[in-house]
Every structure is written in structure tokens, then in C-alpha cells.
């Protein structure tokens, strides 16, 4: 789909020029806004530039409505295997039904179904080694009432929640598997007793990277810092609250100052997974991104992210390489699932230390010579 840019009023980096109420929910689907942190308008999302004259190119700081995201019934092979793929909404009634059955359709459902359980927490930081447990009901109460210093549920807790519930993991993963083509489903199938044992062992050993599912919870004002994931793709199903996703097209990767802290498994305890974190110190104020000491990060001013306000019940597919910032504009809850090609599992069994060096590995067929390429 081609997003058409609507003209935006005058503005600057201190004062957004577009008359947009970020708190107003869109009439139908996810609202997509373009944030101009600079004047570089080479839009990887396929937008058209405003005409000269009355609708001249907006100044930096504007938020421009791009309209609704494209919506599909499933993700096709070409949606994963192209470098210029865009995020999209995916209709996911089976995912919604499974999440509701396990009490994951809302915070009330989570409290009623899992309130007596505990989640891994690390208040005041994201150091997995310092993680402690907190009751689900108690944590939700703090999140919903904006208790000061309430921590965002860290990635350790987000992934261990599913690892500790193999039946839940299996049913949710299978529902997501219905949204992807053949050749991308096997690692979402944990129905065998051996696969269940792997989940249980990973939960016991705090090997959180084993989980391709995560439960994201946080209160108003929390912001996930800018990072990029080098996976074939991922789904994000928003369940409750106000959450804005800032997405940077993969083509802008070199503008975002990414680095990776490597540990024994190719990642460190504060940067888990196949990805990288940006060193740009970003804050969000009045609906705009702000950078401390911008003179140290001149290229970042050229980046043009899109801001997506997901509505409860919507599932978004994020292709490989799209860097993101997640902004909690109120207490919010979501679930995510990572998509892998089938050839990855045997590859990791042979070489557990293997890791992608970017997105190209998912686009080409690295195992084609020995017959382990993509399934049709």
C-alpha cells in the first residue's frame, strides 16, 4: 500500500506543527503518523512528498498522518523475503481467541487467571541476574495505579512467563503459526513432549532466549529504548491500553548508531537476543523524539520514523531490520511472537553459537546447497 502524506502546518523541533491529538483513538484501525526529526524525506514506507506551495515540505518536528496500515489475513513468503517489506496489520481472530481462553486478553483476565502466580521482576533496572519475583496481582495493581518506581516487566519476566506455561505456550504459538507460510512454522510447534521439556528446562535455567513468545507489561511513561532485531519477523498483538510504536525503516539502519554488547552466547544480560541497541539517548516529550547532545549524533536527525498507535485487538507484523521504540502512553499489555524459518532449528542444533549478522541471512537461502532451504 502507498501511504499518502497530508500537509502539516509550520513547526520546529521544539514545537510540533501538526494539529493532531495523539490521545484520540482512530475510527477504524492503527493510526500511522510520520515524525520528521529532520528534513530527509526519502520514505521507505512508500509515501509521496507534499506538493510545493501551500502544502510545502513540512518543517522538522511535524507529525503527519499517513492513514491506516494495510491489513492482511496472513503473512506471505514475499512479505518476509524482501528487503523493502513494510509493517502490516494481520487479522488474527484465532490468536485473540486463544489468548482470551488463557486469560491474556486483558489485565483483568491476567489477574483473574494468573493473579496468584509470580513473574520475574528487576525493579530499578534490567539486570537479569538481579531479577526477583513479584506476585502477578500485586504487580498489576502497581502498574494500573501508576505507583512510582514500578518497573517495566523486563524481558526475563516477559519470556519466562510463557516458558513456565508449556500448554499456554503451545496453543498461542500454534495460533501464530497459522499466520505464516509453510517453511516458517516448525519452531512455533512445541506440541511434543521433548519440546515441552526444553521449555521447562529453559525456565529453570533462566535461558530466556529459548522463548519466541513474550508478555509485555508496563505503566504510563515507560519507554523501551531504540533497538533492532535481526529475526525473520515478529508479531506484536496489542491487548490493552495506549501504546505507540516508533518504527524506523530498515534502510535507515546506518543513521541510528547501533552497537552490540556481546556475551558468552552472543548477547549480554541487558541486550538479549539477536539484535542491537542504539547509543542515542532518546526521550519522548509532547509526542516528539528528543535527543540529548544531538551534536554527537548528527545522522539521527536524518531519520524519519513512523509512529503507530496500535489499538487493542490488533496484531502487527514487523519485518526484519525495522528498529523500534515502544512508548507506553498509559498502562498497557501486549504479546509478541518471533518468526523463524524451518531451516534454523537444525542449524542451531549443529552450531548453537550461530547468530545472524543482519537481515540478509533471512532473505537468501544459506542452506540451499545441501537441501535445507525454504519449504514451499
Amino acid at each position: 500500500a502507498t501511504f499518502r502524506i497530508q500537509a502539516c502546518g509550520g513547526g520546529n523541533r521544539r514545537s510540533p506543527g501538526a494539529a493532531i491529538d495523539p490521545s484520540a483513538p482512530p475510527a477504524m484501525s492503527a493510526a500511522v503518523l510520520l515524525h520528521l526529526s529532520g528534513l530527509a524525506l526519502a520514505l521507505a514506507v512508500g509515501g509521496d512528498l507534499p506538493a510545493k506551495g501551500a502544502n510545502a515540505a513540512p518543517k522538522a518536528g511535524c507529525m503527519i498522518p499517513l492513514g491506516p496500515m494495510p491489513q492482511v489475513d496472513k503473512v506471505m513468503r514475499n512479505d518476509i523475503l524482501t528487503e523493502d517489506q513494510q509493517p502490516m496489520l494481520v487479522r488474527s481472530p484465532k490468536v485473540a481467541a486463544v489468548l482470551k481462553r488463557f486469560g491474556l486478553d486483558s489485565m483483568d483476565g491476567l489477574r483473574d487467571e494468573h493473579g496468584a502466580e509470580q513473574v520475574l521482576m528487576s525493579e530499578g533496572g534490567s539486570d537479569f541476574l538481579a531479577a526477583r519475583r513479584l506476585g502477578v496481582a500485586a504487580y498489576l495493581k502497581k502498574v494500573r495505579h501508576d505507583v512510582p518506581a514500578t518497573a517495566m516487566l523486563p524481558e526475563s519476566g516477559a519470556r519466562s512467563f510463557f516458558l513456565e506455561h508449556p500448554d499456554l505456550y503451545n496453543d498461542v504459538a500454534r495460533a501464530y503459526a497459522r499466520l505464516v507460510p509453510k517453511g516458517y512454522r516448525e519452531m512455533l510447534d512445541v506440541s511434543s513432549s521433548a519440546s515441552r521439556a526444553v521449555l521447562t528446562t529453559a525456565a529453570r535455567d533462566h535461558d530466556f532466549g529459548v522463548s519466541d513468545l513474550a508478555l509485555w507489561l508496563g505503566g504510563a511513561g515507560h519507554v523501551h529504548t531504540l533497538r533492532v532485531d535481526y529475526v525473520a519477523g515478529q508479531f506484536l498483538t496489542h491487548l490493552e491500553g495506549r501504546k505507540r510504536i516508533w518504527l524506523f525503516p530498515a534502510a535507515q539502519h546506518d543513521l541510528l548508531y547501533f552497537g552490540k554488547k556481546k556475551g558468552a552466547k552472543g548477547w549480554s544480560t541487558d541486550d538479549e537476543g539477536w539484535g542491537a541497541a542504539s547509543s542515542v539517548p532518546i526521550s519522548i516529550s509532547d509526542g516528539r523524539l528528543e535527543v540529548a547532545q544531538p551534536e554527537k549524533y548528527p545522522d539521527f536527525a536524518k531519520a524519519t520514523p513512523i509512529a503507530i498507535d496500535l489499538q487493542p485487538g490488533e496484531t502487527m507484523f514487523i519485518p526484519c531490520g525495522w528498529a523500534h521504540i515502544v512508548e507506553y502512553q498509559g498502562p498497557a499489555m501486549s504479546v509478541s511472537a518471533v518468526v523463524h524459518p524451518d531451516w534454523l532449528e537444525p542449524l542451531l542444533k549443529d552450531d548453537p553459537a550461530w547468530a545472524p549478522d543482519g537481515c540478509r541471512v533471512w532473505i537468501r537461502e544459506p542452506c540451499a546447497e545441501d537441501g535445507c532451504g525454504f519449504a514451499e
Side-chain angles (χ1 to χ4, degrees):
T2 298
F3 302 111
R4 299 196 66 83
I5 301 178
Q6 300 175 14
C8 161
N12 53 53
R13 296 186 187 184
R14 296 289 181 183
S15 177
I20 294 176
D21 179 7
S23 66
M28 295 182 62
S29 190
V32 184
L33 308 172
L34 172 70
H35 179 271
L36 301 183
S37 58
L39 294 180
L41 299 181
L43 301 180
V45 293
D48 297 330
L49 297 181
K52 293 183 178 180
N55 294 336
K59 297 181 180 179
C62 285
M63 294 286 285
I64 306 174
L66 298 180
M69 294 187 71
Q71 192 169 30
V72 298
D73 291 318
K74 62 176 61 176
V75 176
M76 307 300 290
R77 280 168 52 87
N78 286 343
D79 296 328
I80 301 175
L81 301 179
T82 57
E83 290 185 302
D84 58 351
Q85 178 54 38
Q86 303 167 12
M88 63 181 71
L89 292 181
V90 184
R91 300 179 187 91
S92 53
K94 293 189 180 297
V95 172
V98 172
L99 291 174
K100 184 175 182 178
R101 175 155 53 88
F102 285 96
L104 293 183
D105 57 325
S106 65
M107 294 187 197
D108 283 342
L110 179 64
R111 180 201 60 207
D112 295 344
E113 188 72 22
H114 303 279
E117 301 173 15
Q118 295 183 328
V119 288
L120 274 173
M121 290 298 305
S122 179
E123 301 221 14
S126 60
D127 184 356
F128 295 171
L129 300 179
R132 64 182 180 83
R133 289 189 171 272
L134 184 65
V136 171
Y139 175 65
L140 286 173
K141 184 176 181 180
K142 295 172 70 175
V143 166
R144 300 176 92 170
H145 290 85
D146 294 328
V147 176
T150 300
M152 176 81 195
L153 185 65
E155 189 161 358
S156 55
R159 298 194 183 279
S160 67
F161 178 84
F162 280 98
L163 291 175
E164 294 169 2
H165 298 84
D167 291 338
L168 167 61
Y169 190 114
N170 178 62
D171 288 6
V172 173
R174 290 180 65 184
Y176 277 113
R178 293 173 177 266
L179 303 179
V180 296
K182 292 181 180 180
Y184 293 86
R185 298 174 182 171
E186 288 188 6
M187 293 190 70
L188 288 171
D189 182 359
V190 295
S191 56
S192 69
S193 58
S195 296
R196 304 291 185 94
V198 169
L199 299 182
T200 302
T201 300
R204 181 196 65 202
D205 296 343
H206 286 195
D207 190 3
F208 308 118
V210 168
S211 177
D212 289 325
L213 304 181
L215 171 68
W216 304 104
L217 274 167
H222 283 291
V223 176
H224 270 300
T225 55
L226 177 60
R227 65 164 289 123
V228 63
D229 294 307
Y230 303 129
V231 294
Q234 53 191 314
F235 292 104
L236 179 65
T237 299
H238 189 45
L239 301 168
E240 182 178 338
R242 294 173 52 209
K243 176 179 286 190
R244 174 169 289 178
I245 317 297
W246 298 81
L247 287 171
F248 295 76
Q252 298 180 11
H253 184 280
D254 293 342
L255 305 176
L256 305 180
Y257 299 88
F258 283 119
K260 187 166 179 60
K261 301 176 181 178
K262 291 188 176 181
K265 297 183 179 181
W267 45 267
S268 70
T269 54
D270 60 350
D271 183 18
E272 182 177 357
W274 291 341
S278 172
S279 61
V280 180
I282 300 172
S283 61
I284 300 176
S285 177
D286 297 327
R288 64 184 183 273
L289 303 182
E290 295 185 343
V291 178
Q293 299 179 303
E295 66 278 2
K296 291 186 177 181
Y297 309 94
D299 288 343
F300 185 78
K302 305 173 186 177
T304 54
I306 58 174
I308 299 172
D309 293 331
L310 278 181
Q311 299 302 296
E314 291 184 330
T315 293
M316 180 171 61
F317 176 74
I318 304 174
C320 184
W322 279 70
H324 50 276
I325 301 171
V326 181
E327 174 191 359
Y328 285 71
Q329 298 180 327
M333 171 176 157
S334 303
V335 167
S336 67
V338 177
V339 177
H340 299 295
D342 293 351
W343 53 258
L344 179 62
E345 188 167 19
L347 177 63
L348 290 178
K349 288 181 179 179
D350 292 338
D351 182 8
W354 182 90
D357 57 2
C359 294
R360 287 289 305 172
V361 67
W362 309 121
I363 295 172
R364 62 176 181 261
E365 298 185 13
C367 301
E369 292 182 2
D370 57 10
C372 58
F374 297 108
E376 291 297 335

